[in-house]
Amino acid sequence: MFRKKPNIKPLSPVRSSDRRKLLASILSQFNIPTDALPSEGKDTIVPADIQTAKFIAHSTGETGIIYVGEEGSKPLWLKLNDEILIPTVFTLWKCPFLLPIVQTWNPVIEKLRNGADLMLPGLIPPFPLTLKIGSIVAIASAERPSVPLAVGICNIDLGTITQVQGRHGKAILIMQCYGDELPFRGKVSVPAKLDLDFPKLEDKNALTSDIENGEIEKIAKSIENLDLAPDAHATSEAQVTSVPADNEATEEEIERTELQGKPVEPVREVPMTEEVDEAFRMALLSTIHDSRTGTALEFPQASSTFISAHLLKHLPSSYSAAQLKQTSWKKAARFLKAMEKDGLVKVKEKGGEVTIMGIAGLDNIAVKNFRSFKTSGSRKANNDSKIPDPSHGDVLAGKLVIREYYQIKDKGKAIAEAVSKRTSDYYSGAELRTILLEYIAKEKLVNEKNPREIMLNPVLASIITTSPKPRSLLREDLIGRFREMSSPYYRIVREGEDERGVKLLRGTPPKIQILIAMKQGHKVTRITNLETYKVDVHDLANEMRTECASSTTVNKSVEGTSISGQGKLEIQVQGPQSKTAVDLLERQGLQKIWIEVKDSTKKSK
């Protein structure tokens, strides 16, 4: 998360009441009974001089709250999305019992410092059985297995995995790593060994390492003297607790105002221009990433359509109300031209209108290093799904996503085998691209004068079917040929659904067909291929009957079998009802580009 230095706002002291609430939240989250820890242990988890501030991570666009201790020198806790609390390694060195630990090799730790997530082959089994998707976990090196050097969130169910050889994928999303760009002050010594046992009430020194003896005494002395900062105006408890945190009214003000019958409302903070700039840039990266890894956007596309239909939905959730006029660019044209200089989009301006001609690929370093975050679009979808209202067109089901995969075939096998990739596996489009680029780099086939041009050796020439065969080809054209040679597969899943349990189907997903035709002198609407997209045919037929107030029947289709192997079904509705059908399908999570509407009753010109 902290591959780049985060933007941290000025620190503010945490009031004693908020400090108690923070400690209670931590103990609750990590299932620690309140009376199980000695008072010194509680002060170590949440010290008396703890301070807080908001931050934004420039490398991911995530926002949150950071808690800092030891007179503002060490980051202790991170709070993301107003939900989970994540301890930093500085907290874990004093409280190693908070999290389960997994091990990795020492060279991998250096990769984590540079912003990489932890891949499954980089872990050393066995793993704690309690680790599931979303679990917070500490990472240590094999040399010092008891000393956490990074903290992350499980991306897979690690507890069910017994071996890592031959497997791939991100296992842990790294939140913080010792040595990354999260700032701290003072000298830090990494402990040689830590006691992972839960501290006993009578053991007051259990929370300290051998090289940090006297740390609790230092904290206890700090608490006793309440000398929390060098500022001469903050040397007493009364003075410290009277300083309000950001956007908070003091307890005294709240009490005085409540007596007057007027509740105190915190002042709403206006985001800085630099923060809004970064939020829009991250929204563009999120849009590009989703297009390249999921359903591809079609170009050229008007800038106004692109921004309203896609970009704004990908703003970080904490900036959902942000507008382009709040950025330093002020206007869409300036923003897009700036992003074109960064290589993220390609635009064309004519007559004052800006059109987006294309977007960056996954080989762009910013797109390649992008890590997804909670967007304003996902927040809206979550809110809408709580109280579905058919009269207002809310989505009644989770959004559907098409996952496309490829299996390398024929002459392309030599390319995969040259970079030690199994041809029996299924690869995403991005992974297929990476395989080819690794082969090109290994064989040194890039034209030094024109890096976009790839020289064709006999292996690459074999995948070119045109005649005569060229001596070189542009990189993107070559990637397209390699993809065309591979066998396509797909699976359709709903957001949040475990796709491992969904069958992988060969070919490309067929579109839902909506055909308006004549039957006995009257127009009827026929809908087929619904089973492919997890649509309950009978439920949709009932909705069509209600919405259209027309006769609706479900019949066997003549177009083969469905995914389950049974005969496909067809909905037939009286009258031209294509618009109603499309609206209902969109409410079930489908996209318009997956639906094809034909009207055979119109005369061709």
Side-chain angles (χ1 to χ4, degrees), residues 318-390:
S318 53
Y319 292 87
S320 58
Q323 300 177 17
L324 263 173
K325 64 182 181 181
Q326 295 175 290
T327 67
S328 59
W329 302 291
K330 304 299 182 185
K331 295 183 179 180
R334 293 176 185 172
F335 166 68
L336 293 172
K337 287 178 181 178
M339 295 301 102
E340 185 177 34
K341 290 181 180 180
D342 291 345
L344 296 179
V345 294
K346 185 176 181 181
V347 300
K348 182 178 180 181
E349 186 174 8
K350 186 177 181 181
E353 294 293 330
V354 177
T355 302
I356 299 176
M357 307 303 294
I359 56 177
L362 291 172
D363 56 339
N364 181 287
I365 188 167
V367 179
K368 186 178 180 181
N369 294 330
F370 173 78
R371 187 165 60 197
S372 59
F373 52 85
K374 181 182 268 188
T375 63
S376 56
S378 62
R379 171 180 285 187
K380 185 179 186 300
N382 290 337
N383 292 339
D384 288 347
S385 62
K386 292 177 183 177
I387 311 175
D389 184 358

Side-chain angles (χ1 to χ4, degrees), residues 385-564:
S385 62
K386 292 177 183 177
I387 311 175
D389 184 358
S391 64
H392 289 82
D394 292 331
V395 176
L396 299 179
K399 181 181 176 183
L400 283 174
V401 180
I402 296 178
R403 305 291 189 196
E404 295 180 321
Y405 298 91
Y406 299 88
Q407 191 174 43
I408 300 173
K409 294 291 184 183
D410 303 327
K411 296 176 182 178
K413 291 183 177 180
I415 297 173
E417 291 168 353
V419 292
S420 303
K421 300 294 183 182
R422 294 189 298 186
T423 57
S424 59
D425 286 352
Y426 300 92
Y427 300 98
S428 67
E431 291 170 333
L432 201 68
R433 179 192 185 95
T434 302
I435 291 172
L436 181 58
L437 294 180
E438 286 181 6
Y439 175 80
I440 291 171
K442 181 179 179 181
E443 299 295 325
K444 299 179 180 179
L445 300 174
V446 178
N447 188 339
E448 295 181 358
K449 295 182 179 179
N450 182 7
R452 295 177 59 197
E453 186 179 14
I454 308 301
M455 308 305 296
L456 302 183
N457 65 0
V459 174
L460 291 183
S462 67
I463 70 174
I464 307 300
T465 56
T466 57
S467 183
K469 295 185 178 181
R471 297 179 59 185
S472 65
L473 207 63
L474 291 178
R475 180 175 60 244
E476 294 301 323
D477 293 339
L478 188 60
I479 291 170
R481 301 287 181 91
F482 187 45
R483 187 182 294 113
E484 289 171 3
M485 284 198 59
S486 304
S487 297
Y489 290 81
Y490 72 94
R491 58 163 61 103
I492 300 176
V493 297
R494 292 202 180 274
E495 282 186 345
E497 181 180 6
D498 186 358
E499 65 178 83
R500 291 174 295 183
V502 180
K503 184 179 179 181
L504 201 61
L505 304 174
R506 186 164 188 168
T508 56
K511 291 188 176 182
I512 288 180
Q513 298 291 331
I514 299 178
L515 175 64
I516 301 175
M518 296 297 295
K519 183 179 181 182
Q520 297 178 353
H522 299 280
K523 288 185 178 182
V524 294
T525 303
R526 292 173 176 167
I527 312 170
T528 56
N529 283 339
L530 294 167
E531 297 91 343
T532 305
Y533 292 88
K534 303 177 180 290
V535 177
D536 189 300
V537 179
H538 294 280
D539 285 350
L540 181 62
N542 291 333
E543 288 187 71
M544 290 289 294
R545 184 182 297 111
T546 302
E547 293 286 332
C548 304
S550 300
S551 174
T552 305
T553 58
V554 177
N555 307 310
K556 285 187 178 180
S557 174
V558 295
E559 299 183 6
T561 58
S562 63
I563 298 174
S564 62

